[in-house]
């Protein structure tokens, strides 16, 4: 039976490690793909800018062509040769703009062919206008207007406008195509980042569940050891005591071996969470930040909203990883018990809270000379969580008050932290001390739901108990004890 359980556990471990390796490979591949898509989107963005520049020059060229057409029409109406001089000047501008267009469209053979026709028509316009000016003295006003050369001049302008229309339509099609490709690359990059976030979140949930399962194994093993000791105390017969002792020793050896295996599993998963999972998180956050900084003006509002949500989710996952590690390490750290000035610790912690939010007005009452016996680092963690919660849940009170003190209950000192903040429904008091359990929305009071679970584990290691009292909208009181005869007031 035991061999079947061990084989099943080994299979589960191999399955988890295989999934972990697959998640790492997928995250790296997704990061590479996102970087490639971002580079391609940037390249398409440059081509879009290039097409817009060509369209701007074409618009200016068309304006000069229309001005030339207006000058020719004025010549028809007035027979003033100055209008033809203006046509020649405008054609000179058209030639310069043709040079600019030719340099911008070197990669487009069809546009180059249209520019060749454009240049020929421009030269033809210049030649016609100059001939009309030279032959003007030989004709009367009406004869000058009706010459074939005047008609050819109008036809040349019409051909220029048609060629500009064709060039403008071609560049418009290019702009539409390039814009569509750039948007497609951006959507693909967003999809890749979303898939990467889902993979990391899914793996985090698997690791968290396995860590909680391993912790329950430790608790069950500890309970089994306690039951074995109770049986030993009831034995009165010498022979039975010897048999039970042998059985107990064998059981303790098995449990010790199981504890060693579980501890190694916790260390391995802690290392995976704290090191291997942080790399893909940083990659997702980094590429998301790069997209927001470099392409915020090219992405629509919905895309920018998705990027902000991805960055917020990665930040929340990083905080979950840190809190999960802290929760696992609470029961594994070595304890060094001594007399601890809890009043001084409370004052230090509240001073740090004030420093973090100097504009808040909070009445803090700390009873002097309250001393407890325990590990100073662990007891500081208890007060940081309890006083930090009190500071957080009184943030919406105009006249907030936080109190730390000690009372005597049946000859035993009871330490408590009281506040007049948001409080809670007493029906769910037991849920408060469960890992990742929350009674308030994260939007109202941020947090991960690990602080009170940490407090309960530390107090249990000190042989004490912790409890909570409160009501919604009327504050809360969290009380705890330490091992009897190891706490008190100087």
């Amino acid at each position: 039976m035991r061999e079947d359980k061990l084989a099943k556990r080994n299979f589960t471990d191999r399955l988890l490690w295989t999934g972990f390796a697959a998640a790492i490979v997928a995250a790296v591949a997704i990061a590479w793909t996102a970087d490639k898509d971002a580079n391609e989107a940037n390249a398409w963005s440059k081509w879009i800018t290039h097409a817009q520049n060509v369209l701007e020059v074409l618009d200016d060229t068309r304006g000069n062509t229309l001005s030339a057409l207006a000058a020719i029409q004025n010549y028809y109406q007035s027979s003033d040769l100055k209008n033809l001089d203006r046509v020649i000047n405008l054609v000179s501008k058209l030639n310069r703009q043709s040079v600019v267009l030719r340099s911008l469209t070197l990669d487009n053979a069809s546009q180059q062919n249209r520019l060749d026709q454009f240049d020929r028509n421009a030269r033809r316009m210049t030649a016609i206008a100059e001939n009309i000016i030279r032959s003007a003295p030989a004709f009367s006003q009406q004869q000058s207007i009706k010459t074939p050369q005047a008609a050819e001049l109008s036809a040349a302008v019409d051909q220029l406008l048609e060629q500009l229309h064709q060039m403008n339509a071609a560049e418009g099609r290019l702009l539409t195509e390039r814009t569509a490709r750039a948007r497609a690359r951006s959507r693909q990059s967003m999809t890749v980042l979303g898939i990467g976030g889902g993979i990391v979140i899914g793996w985090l949930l698997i690791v968290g569940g396995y860590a909680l399962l391993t912790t329950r194994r430790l608790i069950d093993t500890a309970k089994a050891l306690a039951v074995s000791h109770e049986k030993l105390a009831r034995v009165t017969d010498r022979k039975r005591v010897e048999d039970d002792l042998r059985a107990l020793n064998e059981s303790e050896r098995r449990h010790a071996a199981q504890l060693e295996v579980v501890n190694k599993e916790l260390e391995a998963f802690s290392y995976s969470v704290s090191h291997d999972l942080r790399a893909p998180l940083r990659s997702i956050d980094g590429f998301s930040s790069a997209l927001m900084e470099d392409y915020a003006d090219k992405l629509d509002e919905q895309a920018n909203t998705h990027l902000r949500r991805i960055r917020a989710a990665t930040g929340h996952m990083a905080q979950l990883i840190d809190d999960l590690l802290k929760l696992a390490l609470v029961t594994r750290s070595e304890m060094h018990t001594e007399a601890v000035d809890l009043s001084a610790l409370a004052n230090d912690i509240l001073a740090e809270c004030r420093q973090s939010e100097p504009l808040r007005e909070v009445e803090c009452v700390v009873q002097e000379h309250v001393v407890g016996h325990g590990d100073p680092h662990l007891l500081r963690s208890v007060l940081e969580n309890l006083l930090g919660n009190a500071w957080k849940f009184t943030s919406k009170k105009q006249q907030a008050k936080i109190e730390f003190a000690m009372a005597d209950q049946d000859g035993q000192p009871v330490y408590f932290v009281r506040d007049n903040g948001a409080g809670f429904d007493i029906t769910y008091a037991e849920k408060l001390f469960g890992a990742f359990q929350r009674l308030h929305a994260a939007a109202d009071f941020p947090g991960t739901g690990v602080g009170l679970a940490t407090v309960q584990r530390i107090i249990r290691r000190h042989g004490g108990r912790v409890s909570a009292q409160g009501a919604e909208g009327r504050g809360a009181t969290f009380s705890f004890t330490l091992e009897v005869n190891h706490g008190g007031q100087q």
Side-chain angles (χ1 to χ4, degrees), residues 388-400:
N389 280 350
W391 186 270
K392 176 171 62 177
F393 288 104
T394 57
S395 61
K396 300 183 184 300
K397 284 284 185 180
Q398 293 292 334
Q399 296 179 343

Side-chain angles (χ1 to χ4, degrees), residues 393-394 397 399-402 418-423 473-476:
F393 288 104
T394 57
K397 284 284 185 180
Q399 296 179 343
K401 182 177 181 180
I402 300 174
R418 179 183 294 127
D419 66 74
N420 65 342
R474 293 191 293 174

Side-chain angles (χ1 to χ4, degrees), residues 309-329:
R309 293 182 65 182
I310 289 172
R311 296 202 67 197
T314 54
H316 184 61
M317 280 191 289
Q319 185 62 47
L320 281 174
I321 291 172
D322 293 338
D323 291 343
L324 188 63
L325 281 173
K326 291 177 183 178
L327 186 62
L329 294 175

Side-chain angles (χ1 to χ4, degrees), residues 339-355:
V340 181
D341 188 347
L342 298 180
S343 297
L345 283 180
N347 283 319
D348 290 344
I349 294 166
L350 289 171
E352 293 173 1
C353 292
R354 288 185 184 278
Q355 188 175 5

